[in-house]
Amino acid sequence: MTEMTLGKALGAGLRQAMRDDEKVVLLGEDIGKLGGVFRITDGLLDEFGASRVVDTPLAESGIVGMAVGLAFRGYRPVVEIQFDGFVYPAFDQIVAQVAKLHYRTQGRAKMPITIRIPWAGGIGAAEHHSESPEAYFVHTAGLRVVAVSNPEDAYRSLRQAIASDDPVIFFEPKRLYHHKGEVDLAAPLADASPMGLARVMRTGTDATLITYGAMVSTALQAADAAEDEGISLEVIDLRSLSPIDYDSVAASVRKTGRVVVAHEASREAGVAAEVIASITERCFEYLESAPLRVTGHDIPYPPAKLEKYHLPDLDRLLDAVDRVLDRPNSLTGADA
Amino acid sequence: MSPQITPIADTAQDLELSERILAPDGSRIANPRLDAFVADVDAEQLRALHRDMVILRRIDAEGVALQRQGQLGLWAPCQGQEATQIGTARALAPQDYVFPSYRETGVIYARGAQPGDYVRMWRGEEGAGHDPEALRVAPLQIIIGAQTLHAVGYALGIRHEGADEVAVTYFGDGATSQGDVNEAMIFASSYQAPVVFVCQNNHWAISEPVAVQSQFPIAGRAPGFGIPSLRVDGNDVLACMAAMRWALDHARSGKGPAYIEAVTYRMGPHTTADDPTRYRDDAELESWRRRDPIARLEQHLRNAGELADTHVAETQAAADAVAKDMRAACLGMVTRPPLAVFDGVYAEPHTGLERQRDEYAAYLASFEVEA
């Protein structure tokens, strides 16, 4: 086991994937000499050369469209979108081309493309640098969507995404790039938990807290705080947003009967809405209270000084936990 | 090579500025730039090009007829563009790979399409009409200009491998307004990718005339990206073939991308869904009828005493046979069963979709129980 940051783990994952398969090529803005604006590709140009670590013109649709052409020729392109808010110019190439070509050709054209997106907020960034666009991609058939929350998962899931014959939108929480954790660099990929499975990060009995990405840390903090009040929270990291591992989710909900789903992205038609709808369909009879969402507001991402009012924090999570447990909360007041 | 960079004044001048080997009356014109590229084309090969164009026109007419008879949801006619499509596609080497738009019926014909390949997508049986690897042609692309980037990406792969191949992409004049086409030219130029851009300027993007897309000859843009270009008379099959051979030679020899603007005309509607009489006048159409690419080559061959009536009759019979096979393939298609809608979305298992598939299967099975 090696202790490393999530950012370094991603770099190690890319390096290993490129060593394992010479058809893996990287495309992106500033990923060569600079090593990417977050330095995730640091050192890869030196090891693999400019034909496999390709610095591109500044054009996101062009980058993803190039990846489609390379996939037609049997490559496994890994695209770096520089920031979450810059993915929109590539939207057509992702949802109309990358996502559909396998289906259109009934598998004759494979699109094993990984699109890495530094993602979400909490770093005080400038406008367009803190978006949470995951719902757009979850809504698009043909894509897999992954959101990692720790260095070990980042290293493993990225290699799995690259090895997958399907296109994967790979969300990397910027807020956690410098967070450290243990990574087993030597463990065989085949032994890792499959990419589509959720993980129970902490077991509990009173309510289930479901989230993904950087919010997993917040949820675990909430579980610690709740424990101080005698409340036992189960925390689930979804890891994969398409597909969502509803078997794991349902097993937890059947145990606890109470659910809070949290994410940074805004609420309307978001991932939490889908998770709660599916929980309601699958295990309505086990529910002891209405499932709740704790999300970003339905607003454009606010300026950096205001983002703390947008992002769900520990207290908003605990307030929702109080509500699903029928404890005094922001709606009922202390006297309820 | 570069086009003459002169603002477009009118259609007639537009054409005079394009490269040509056969005049509209079928006479041969000396073209110092292009003649060498088709010096080997003899009368027999010209008759083969004629045959291709006649068959393509017949396939196209059959496509329109099948749509009018309710057998196809849509058809994108290419009548008038036979010389561009046949001339350029017949210049390709077998190993080259094409990224077409939806109007390239003649290109897939030249690449060996099977009868059903022309209609499978338009009939709505499958998302792509043909096997991309078998023809070395990517699926027809509906999103305007998206395929140009795919061609450049593919060409980047060719370049990395040092393979003796060229990627080719076809698109219309309307597509040149798209960001993707401009990004494709930037990427192609930056990486010196072996890719050939073929713009079929057929003068109309549905109801919008080319002047809405461009106030300047379209081929004139490519040099601005560092890509040499040629503007050819798209109704002159020899000029189209010569230009394509020039472009392919250029790309194949490691000199990077090349660009062709073939100035042609779509005689019919954009697709079977629109009515061109609402947006263009008869006089314009008539002026282009006089430039018909098939008639031009036919006249040229007759002038040279190289077109026997028997050849014309045999060609027409061959075209009718191809159309008959196409119709039979179309009418004989068996729509896949309901659960096939779930097939091929992912290459690997996806639990969410599998669950939906199972639910729908159970729903369908419930009817069987009732029966």
Side-chain angles (χ1 to χ4, degrees):
Chain A
M1 299 287 271
T2 309
E3 187 177 57
M4 58 173 63
T5 64
L6 186 142
K8 290 287 183 194
L10 289 165
L14 287 171
R15 177 176 283 105
Q16 192 58 50
M18 294 182 80
R19 287 177 179 170
D20 289 346
D21 186 349
E22 64 176 17
K23 291 294 186 185
V24 176
V25 295
L26 312 188
L27 301 167
E29 298 157 8
D30 305 302
I31 65 170
K33 284 185 179 171
L34 183 66
V37 293
F38 292 104
R39 309 292 185 269
I40 306 301
T41 55
D42 195 23
L44 299 180
L45 176 67
D46 289 341
E47 181 171 346
F48 299 103
S51 66
R52 292 186 67 195
V53 182
V54 183
D55 269 323
T56 66
L58 208 165
E60 286 77 13
S61 186
I63 295 168
V64 177
M66 291 279 286
V68 171
L70 283 161
F72 261 105
R73 203 171 166 83
Y75 287 88
R76 292 186 174 277
V78 182
V79 164
E80 178 174 300
I81 299 294
Q82 203 159 59
F83 278 91
D84 34 37
F86 304 168
V87 74
Y88 306 120
F91 199 66
D92 170 69
Q93 286 290 345
I94 295 173
V95 304
Q97 308 296 328
V98 172
K100 285 184 177 169
L101 274 159
H102 189 274
Y103 186 66
R104 288 186 66 210
T105 62
Q106 290 295 291
R108 289 182 292 230
K110 290 206 164 30
M111 290 289 128
I113 298 169
T114 302
I115 300 174
R116 296 179 37 236
I117 305 178
W119 161 67
I123 63 165
E127 196 177 13
H128 308 298
H129 291 65
S130 298
E131 307 265 320
S132 295
E134 58 266 32
Y136 299 118
F137 302 110
V138 171
H139 196 64
T140 300
L143 301 175
R144 291 173 187 277
V145 181
V146 167
V148 295
S149 66
N150 61 69
E152 170 72 19
D153 202 20
Y155 174 72
R156 202 79 52 203
S157 295
L158 182 56
R159 289 177 61 201
Q160 289 172 325
I162 295 168
S164 170
D165 275 345
D166 285 318
V168 180
I169 306 294
F170 193 89
F171 285 113
E172 304 169 0
K174 295 189 287 277
R175 186 154 35 128
L176 300 185
Y177 269 145
H178 298 293
H179 281 224
K180 286 186 174 175
E182 295 290 330
V183 180
D184 186 353
L185 295 171
L189 197 58
D191 295 349
S193 170
M195 194 166 63
L197 292 188
R199 181 175 295 151
V200 177
M201 305 298 285
R202 176 187 174 118
T203 57
T205 53
D206 293 331
T208 302
L209 203 43
I210 299 170
T211 189
Y212 52 89
M215 286 287 302
V216 173
S217 298
T218 314
L220 289 170
Q221 290 165 25
D224 280 343
E227 189 175 32
D228 293 342
E229 296 185 42
I231 300 166
S232 169
L233 292 183
E234 183 144 306
V235 176
I236 292 182
D237 176 3
L238 286 176
R239 296 176 70 236
S240 169
L241 307 182
S242 177
I244 286 174
D245 175 10
Y246 283 114
D247 289 343
S248 297
V249 168
S252 178
V253 172
R254 286 177 181 137
K255 182 171 68 172
T256 65
R258 301 173 194 271
V259 188
V260 174
V261 186
H263 55 57
E264 293 188 21
S266 46
R267 177 171 305 180
E268 191 88 2
V271 170
E274 177 56 38
V275 170
I276 289 174
S278 294
I279 287 171
T280 310
E281 285 177 350
R282 282 172 177 77
C283 30
F284 180 74
E285 68 274 25
Y286 292 87
L287 291 172
E288 295 179 38
S289 64
L292 285 183
R293 289 174 285 181
V294 182
T295 68
H297 310 300
D298 290 334
I299 57 172
Y301 204 89
K305 294 291 188 193
L306 302 176
E307 70 177 338
K308 60 176 179 269
Y309 306 121
H310 175 64
L311 295 175
D313 60 10
L314 192 62
D315 290 333
R316 282 176 64 196
L317 287 185
L318 289 170
D319 183 62
V321 168
D322 287 339
R323 286 162 65 188
V324 297
L325 289 169
D326 299 323
R327 286 159 48 92
N329 60 72
S330 62
L331 292 182
T332 60
D335 299 331
Chain B
M1 298 192 186
S2 293
Q4 298 181 49
I5 309 297
T6 311
I8 296 168
D10 56 44
T11 302
Q13 187 197 29
D14 214 20
L15 273 173
E16 291 311 314
L17 293 172
S18 59
E19 301 284 346
R20 182 180 291 167
I21 294 175
L22 295 179
D25 65 2
S27 60
R28 183 137 184 175
I29 305 164
N31 186 314
R33 283 185 184 179
L34 293 181
D35 279 345
F37 290 98
V38 286
D40 63 307
V41 177
D42 59 17
E44 189 178 340
Q45 288 171 282
L46 284 175
R47 280 192 294 272
L49 292 171
H50 174 263
R51 184 176 187 275
D52 283 341
M53 290 198 289
V54 170
I55 290 174
L56 171 56
R57 184 161 291 185
R58 185 68 186 85
I59 289 170
D60 191 56
E62 196 67 16
V64 173
L66 284 165
Q67 195 281 332
R68 296 298 184 225
Q69 292 159 8
Q71 297 297 330
L72 304 179
L74 193 70
W75 181 261
C78 63
Q79 186 194 355
Q81 299 179 222
E82 293 87 353
T84 299
Q85 297 201 14
I86 296 298
T88 55
R90 282 296 183 210
L92 294 166
Q95 72 271 23
D96 296 334
Y97 204 106
V98 177
F99 291 83
S101 84
Y102 47 80
R103 202 184 299 284
E104 270 68 78
T105 309
V107 177
I108 65 168
Y109 159 78
R111 300 296 280 175
Q114 298 302 300
D117 293 350
Y118 302 110
V119 290
R120 199 170 286 111
M121 183 186 86
W122 298 115
R123 189 172 166 84
E125 300 290 359
E126 284 187 28
H130 61 266
D131 181 343
E133 275 312 302
L135 300 188
R136 295 192 70 72
V137 179
L140 303 184
Q141 177 63 249
I142 302 262
I143 299 294
I144 303 300
Q147 76 280 9
T148 57
L149 282 166
H150 307 167
V152 180
Y154 194 93
L156 187 63
I158 293 173
R159 186 171 169 273
H160 287 177
E161 297 155 28
D164 178 26
E165 298 172 37
V166 176
V168 176
T169 181
Y170 288 83
F171 51 100
D173 46 296
T176 63
S177 295
Q178 288 281 0
D180 275 1
V181 176
N182 290 274
E183 292 184 23
M185 289 200 280
I186 292 165
F187 278 70
S189 179
S190 297
Y191 299 125
Q192 289 293 285
V195 59
V196 173
F197 296 90
V198 182
C199 173
Q200 293 187 76
N201 174 1
N202 70 13
H203 282 82
W204 290 93
I206 308 188
S207 69
E208 304 292 351
V210 66
V212 173
Q213 322 291 341
S214 183
Q215 285 291 301
F216 203 73
I218 290 169
R221 295 187 197 175
F225 291 97
I227 302 173
S229 68
L230 264 180
R231 186 160 206 256
V232 297
D233 184 330
N235 288 12
D236 173 352
V237 71
L238 265 186
C240 290
M241 175 176 269
M244 193 66 178
R245 285 180 169 181
W246 159 76
L248 289 165
D249 280 357
H250 181 90
R252 213 182 295 283
S253 60
K255 294 176 188 160
Y259 191 105
I260 294 168
E261 177 194 359
V263 184
T264 181
Y265 194 77
R266 154 169 61 81
M267 308 292 283
H270 162 71
T271 69
T272 45
D274 69 302
D275 173 10
T277 64
R278 293 173 72 109
Y279 54 80
R280 63 186 188 189
D281 60 41
D282 292 342
E284 180 182 293
L285 184 60
E286 278 312 307
S287 75
W288 279 93
R289 282 195 201 286
R290 293 193 289 275
R291 299 175 185 277
D292 186 293
I294 298 178
R296 186 183 304 194
L297 180 58
E298 215 165 281
Q299 194 56 49
H300 173 70
L301 283 165
R302 286 193 190 283
N303 292 349
E306 292 286 357
L307 193 70
D309 289 343
T310 50
H311 170 85
V312 175
E314 285 165 14
T315 299
Q316 198 55 55
D320 288 341
V322 170
K324 188 180 172 191
D325 290 347
M326 174 178 159
R327 173 172 289 268
C330 180
L331 301 183
M333 283 180 183
V334 178
T335 300
R336 292 175 291 159
L339 291 179
V341 298
F342 295 99
D343 292 349
V345 180
Y346 293 93
E348 297 171 5
H350 185 284
T351 52
L353 193 64
E354 284 163 5
R355 189 177 294 110
Q356 276 191 28
R357 188 183 193 283
D358 292 346
E359 286 169 3
Y360 192 53
Y363 169 75
L364 293 174
S366 70
F367 293 97
E368 291 166 17
V369 172
E370 284 174 15

